[in-house]
Amino acid sequence: MSTLGWLPEWIALQVSVAFDEGSEFLRLKHETWQIDLYDENGNPKWLIHPIHGTDIDVGVLPIDNLDVDGRLYNEPVNTHDEWISFSGRVGDDAFVLSFPKGMDGGKGFPLWKRASIASETNFDVKNLPLIYIDTATREGMSGSPVVVLRRGWIMPDGEEDFSKAVIGEGLNFLGVYSGRIGDDELGVQIGIVWKHTVIDEIITGGIAGTSVFP
């Protein structure tokens, strides 16, 4: 994407670190880490989808040995204790946790950009595991996690006992936002979300990406 022809060799990762936890309030600080995209032999460290390859705009980069000064406060988005495992459906509210045009929600946390699910989640679009959302998106949102919100009566996935239903409000991880249909910001305003299942499929497949270097 660079007009100068530059190719990325690393990414900057911001992590939240909890410190001074003996005080009355939880205190956080943000640290930025440089994560290499290639190993010492020039081989890509990221993984791609084992079936669709780069047709799926999601990659997985293993990260370990983060030397943080305190307790790492980040959590995997699909393991949050307060979230409920349920499948989103057309019309459900969704939020893209992102930094549109570089904006944040204060203290380095993302904005919750509102959307709604616009396609049938039980089916694939163009034979790929993606979902359309209806929202106005901007630069700085690509790669963001998307969560689905439902209020009222919620039946968790895999449950058939009505006594297990949750009454109230539930959030769940829907997938990864990767762009919008067309280049016009005021066009159809339809965004692309890759289903959360592609992440596990990429990790299980273990297929390394292809180097962009000759």
Side-chain angles (χ1 to χ4, degrees):
M1 294 175 65
S2 172
T3 57
L4 300 177
W6 294 101
L7 296 173
E9 297 181 357
W10 52 270
I11 63 171
L13 173 69
Q14 180 175 279
V15 298
S16 298
V17 180
F19 68 102
D20 194 19
E21 296 190 70
S23 63
E24 182 179 356
F25 301 101
L26 174 67
R27 300 178 65 188
L28 295 176
K29 61 181 178 181
H30 299 296
E31 298 183 3
T32 300
W33 288 84
Q34 178 177 312
I35 308 298
D36 291 331
L37 295 175
Y38 298 87
D39 63 21
E40 61 276 7
N41 297 317
N43 299 313
K45 298 172 68 175
W46 70 88
L47 306 176
I48 60 175
H49 197 273
I51 298 175
H52 300 289
T54 54
D55 286 339
I56 291 181
D57 194 17
V58 177
V60 172
L61 181 64
I63 297 173
D64 56 13
N65 300 324
L66 287 178
D67 183 18
V68 296
D69 184 19
R71 177 173 62 88
L72 188 64
Y73 196 68
N74 296 73
E75 296 180 352
V77 69
N78 62 333
T79 62
H80 200 290
D81 290 340
E82 297 179 359
W83 290 16
I84 301 171
S85 178
F86 68 93
S87 299
R89 60 183 180 225
V90 170
D92 276 338
D93 286 330
F95 293 89
V96 186
L97 280 59
S98 56
F99 301 89
K101 296 289 188 180
M103 296 176 60
D104 64 38
K107 302 296 185 181
F109 289 98
L111 292 170
W112 286 53
K113 195 77 164 61
R114 180 181 289 275
S116 62
I117 298 178
S119 65
E120 299 290 345
T121 58
N122 292 330
F123 301 98
D124 290 343
V125 176
K126 298 181 179 179
N127 295 317
L128 291 171
L130 64 86
I131 300 168
Y132 286 147
I133 58 172
D134 183 5
T135 186
T137 59
R138 298 293 184 267
E139 295 175 2
M141 297 177 65
S142 296
S144 300
V146 181
V147 299
V148 55
L149 169 67
R150 185 176 298 164
R151 295 183 176 91
W153 189 84
I154 306 169
M155 178 64 77
D157 288 340
E159 292 288 352
E160 298 181 357
D161 185 351
F162 289 103
S163 66
K164 302 294 184 180
V166 177
I167 306 298
E169 182 176 280
L171 284 168
N172 195 26
F173 178 45
L174 184 66
V176 180
Y177 171 83
S178 74
R180 60 178 175 268
I181 303 297
D183 297 326
D184 184 0
E185 291 184 348
L186 300 178
V188 293
Q189 298 191 357
I190 296 295
I192 299 170
V193 176
W194 297 100
K195 296 180 180 180
H196 67 88
T197 52
V198 304
I199 298 176
D200 287 336
E201 291 166 356
I202 292 172
I203 294 173
T204 301
I207 305 297
T210 302
S211 175
V212 296
F213 296 106

